[in-house]
Amino acid sequence: MTEEKEKLLERIQEKIRVRLNDKFRKGDTEHENDLLSIDLLSEAFDEVLDLSVYILALQEKSVDYYQKGYADGFKAALQPIDKEETD
């Protein structure tokens, strides 16, 4: 891979590492420090449903931006992508 792609991969991995760490710790607290005692299959199914809604909403948002004449509508629909920007 090119150096540029290696740097992109490193940034992506770091963002995933930080967000996964935060998400896991929050979930552990919410589930009273006993994640393995909950119905993981049901929880996973609910997460898939949430993800489906997020994807469809993102699609609607990007189409809306495009129809309003924004040249970078999809890019705008994805902002902000950094956790620090959403806090």
Side-chain angles (χ1 to χ4, degrees):
M1 272 196 302
T2 65
E3 185 175 335
E4 182 179 342
K5 286 182 182 176
E6 289 289 348
K7 288 180 181 180
L8 173 62
L9 178 58
E10 287 175 15
R11 289 192 307 272
I12 291 169
Q13 288 172 327
E14 179 62 12
K15 287 177 184 180
I16 290 171
R17 186 194 67 74
V18 168
R19 293 185 79 162
L20 177 60
N21 181 65
D22 293 348
K23 175 79 170 146
F24 186 89
R25 291 176 188 283
K26 181 180 176 185
D28 188 56
T29 300
E30 288 174 0
H31 297 292
E32 300 175 352
N33 303 316
D34 197 9
L35 182 62
L36 298 179
S37 70
I38 64 173
D39 182 357
L40 293 173
L41 184 59
S42 177
E43 291 289 328
F45 186 76
D46 289 345
E47 293 297 327
V48 168
L49 292 175
D50 287 346
L51 183 58
S52 299
V53 170
Y54 300 156
I55 290 169
L56 291 171
L58 179 59
Q59 181 185 35
E60 293 268 334
K61 186 174 181 179
S62 64
V63 168
D64 183 53
Y65 275 92
Y66 179 77
Q67 289 174 344
K68 289 180 178 175
Y70 295 109
D72 61 348
F74 190 72
K75 181 180 175 188
L78 291 176
Q79 300 301 322
I81 60 171
D82 289 331
K83 184 178 188 306
E84 296 79 21
E85 295 175 18
T86 61
D87 293 337

